[in-house]
Amino acid sequence: MSAARTPADLEAMIERRVAGIPLEHVLGWAEFCGLRIAVDPGVFVPRRRTEFLVRRAAALAEPRAVVVDLCCGSGAVGAALVAAVDGMELHAVDIDPAAVRCARRNIGARGHVYEGDLYEPLPAALRGRVAVLIANAPYVPTDEVDLLPAEARVHEPRVALDGGADGLDVQRRVVAAAPGWLAPRGHLLVETSGRQAPMTVEAFARSGLIPRVVRSDELNATVVIGTGAALGARAERC
Ligand SMILES: C[S@@+](CC[C@H](N)C(=O)[O-])C[C@H]1O[C@@H](n2cnc3c(N)ncnc32)[C@H](O)[C@@H]1O
């Protein structure tokens, strides 16, 4: 009601919601980490559970850290991190032009947003310099996309949901190439599900990162964090 300018406006919004359009697409924004994130029709709506990914990334990012958000969607994760970490240098990428337009609005001059496939559009100068690399890539197994609620299945793009046969196709590509972009003491954080976490962990271990699984029961969120071998050994001693 507070978002509607007139009673007619409210009526139109209610009709769109009753027709099954996600509330965030009706309003044009989602609340995420206390921010109002613009979400255009056809763009993935940031989920509350992903606030856990932000919290964990913010805890690892030092002031002025170089942070890359792959599969950034609306840019919600990057926008929340920029608000939380002093002087952070943000680079965000998505393959979907509608998501990139949205991310540019949400991130504005506080970061760089690129359109393309994972690492492909990033400046080569970032290689070996990324302190925190984050990805909430699509991770729904192809066979399960049709079982999602209509809000996702009908109103969010398939490229934002479908992660291939076991859901990990995009994640595996993110993880395999991560060591080439991470700084020596850098961290990779990938959102996954509790069920898929062992497979995500396996992908991290295969690329030489020391993985650990962190979980929030409150948000029903699972994140795998991988750290380069040298820092992993240090962290072990602390
Ligand atoms: C699950 S959504 C997450 C969006 C955002 N990170 C968030 O948490 O709200 C996955 C996003 O990955 C993008 N995506 C899928 N495949 C991609 C690829 N190969 N390269 C870049 N982005 C990709 C989709 O367009 C979608 O915006």
Side-chain angles (χ1 to χ4, degrees):
M1 287 176 74
S2 65
R5 286 181 302 265
T6 62
D9 200 17
L10 179 61
E11 192 60 34
M13 288 166 106
I14 291 169
E15 273 172 28
R16 295 179 71 219
R17 181 69 191 111
V18 169
I21 295 172
L23 177 63
E24 294 82 355
H25 288 157
V26 172
L27 298 176
W29 55 270
E31 190 185 323
F32 185 78
C33 290
L35 301 176
R36 194 176 270 215
I37 299 294
V39 188
D40 290 339
V43 173
F44 183 87
V45 175
R47 309 294 203 257
R48 282 297 308 283
R49 76 162 64 86
T50 303
E51 294 186 1
F52 184 59
L53 178 67
V54 172
R55 269 187 233 156
R56 301 310 296 226
L60 292 169
E62 290 175 6
R64 293 181 299 287
V66 175
V67 175
V68 168
D69 178 15
L70 294 180
C71 301
C72 70
S74 64
V77 170
L81 273 172
V82 159
V85 180
D86 276 352
M88 193 188 102
E89 179 182 328
L90 173 68
H91 300 264
V93 179
D94 203 281
I95 202 164
D96 177 3
V100 168
R101 275 195 298 276
C102 228
R104 287 193 174 131
R105 287 220 312 279
N106 287 315
I107 292 170
R110 293 167 302 157
H112 309 270
V113 182
Y114 313 87
E115 181 182 324
D117 182 17
L118 300 183
Y119 301 90
E120 175 265 323
L122 288 173
L126 288 180
R127 281 188 174 274
R129 287 190 49 224
V130 179
V132 177
L133 177 48
I134 315 150
N136 180 19
Y139 58 85
V140 181
T142 301
D143 285 352
E144 295 176 25
V145 172
D146 286 345
L147 307 175
L148 292 172
E151 275 98 339
R153 185 169 35 84
V154 178
H155 298 284
E156 292 181 327
R158 188 144 190 136
V159 70
L161 305 170
D162 190 342
D166 67 357
L168 268 75
D169 283 4
V170 187
Q171 274 190 11
R172 283 198 188 90
R173 290 178 53 220
V174 168
V175 177
W181 293 87
L182 285 175
R185 301 158 62 145
H187 308 274
L188 170 66
L189 297 92
V190 174
E191 181 177 304
T192 190
S193 69
R195 177 169 58 107
Q196 292 161 304
M199 293 189 292
T200 308
V201 162
E202 201 184 303
F204 273 60
R206 255 203 309 274
S207 71
L209 298 169
I210 298 173
R212 62 194 167 99
V213 180
V214 291
R215 162 126 196 112
S216 162
D217 290 333
E218 179 203 347
L219 292 173
N220 187 24
T222 304
V223 171
V224 178
I225 304 178
T227 305
L231 183 61
R234 249 180 45 148
E236 211 54 45
R237 288 198 298 274
C238 292

